[in-house]
């Protein structure tokens, strides 16, 4: 199996929690998990697959630590790598910018790597999102604030899609 690295930015802890849950389901060692607040561009090189997670803050803003790391990611050589995204957002209070930060990371890497793990929007309640491309989320969209009861089901569906994409 491909070597997987998980890179996440967290402020309130939800994205870190989701990252840990994903790591457990994929048997990713904690040594292969990085908080982007302290990650370096050279950390990216060790992996065939990068799973990148962020929360959305304010009105569609990147999580603070991603503000600095996205430029590192944008300048990294990601050729030959597969990239999957996951994001946390608030679909109730910020229905028109739900998981927008995931879309910002997508735009920074989509032409540099093979994107994996897009999922349908059925079952989600939101008005608009930068993370929806061609009618699908560019990765796993999670709302731990309002729909935490759906998080495991959504994560499992995403991981099923991710594994199919990794096999192809």
């Amino acid at each position: 199996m491909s070597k997987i690295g998980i890179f996440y930015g967290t402020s309130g802890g939800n994205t870190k929690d989701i990252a840990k849950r994903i790591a457990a389901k994929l048997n990713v060692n904690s040594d292969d998990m990085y908080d982007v607040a302290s990650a370096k561009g050279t950390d990216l090189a060790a992996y065939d697959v990068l799973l990148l997670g962020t929360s959305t803050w304010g009105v569609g803003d990147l999580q603070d630590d991603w503000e600095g790391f996205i430029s590192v990611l944008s300048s990294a050589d990601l050729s030959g790598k597969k990239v999957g995204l996951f994001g946390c957002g608030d679909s109730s209070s910020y229905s028109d910018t739900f998981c927008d930060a995931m879309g910002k990371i997508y735009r920074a890497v989509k032409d540099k790597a093979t994107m994996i793990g897009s999922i349908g929007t059925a079952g989600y309640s939101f008005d608009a999102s930068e993370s929806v491309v061609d009618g699908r989320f560019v990765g796993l969209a999670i709302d731990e604030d309002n729909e935490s009861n759906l998080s495991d089901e959504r994560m499992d569906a995403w991981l099923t899609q991710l594994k199919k994409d990794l096999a192809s």
Side-chain angles (χ1 to χ4, degrees), residues 1-15:
M1 184 170 186
S2 302
K3 186 160 172 86
I4 299 172
I6 299 176
F7 293 77
Y8 63 89
T10 194
S11 295
N14 284 344
T15 309

Side-chain angles (χ1 to χ4, degrees), residues 82 115-118 160-168:
K82 293 185 177 184
M115 301 305 297
I116 58 174
S118 71
T160 298
Q161 180 62 49
L162 200 70
K163 289 174 183 175
K164 285 180 189 173
D165 291 347
L166 287 172
S168 61

Side-chain angles (χ1 to χ4, degrees), residues 60 97-104 106-107 128-133 138:
T97 59
F98 179 59
C99 290
D100 273 4
M102 185 169 58
K104 291 175 184 359
Y106 170 80
R107 284 192 309 280
S129 178
E130 287 183 35
S131 66
V132 175
V133 175
V138 296

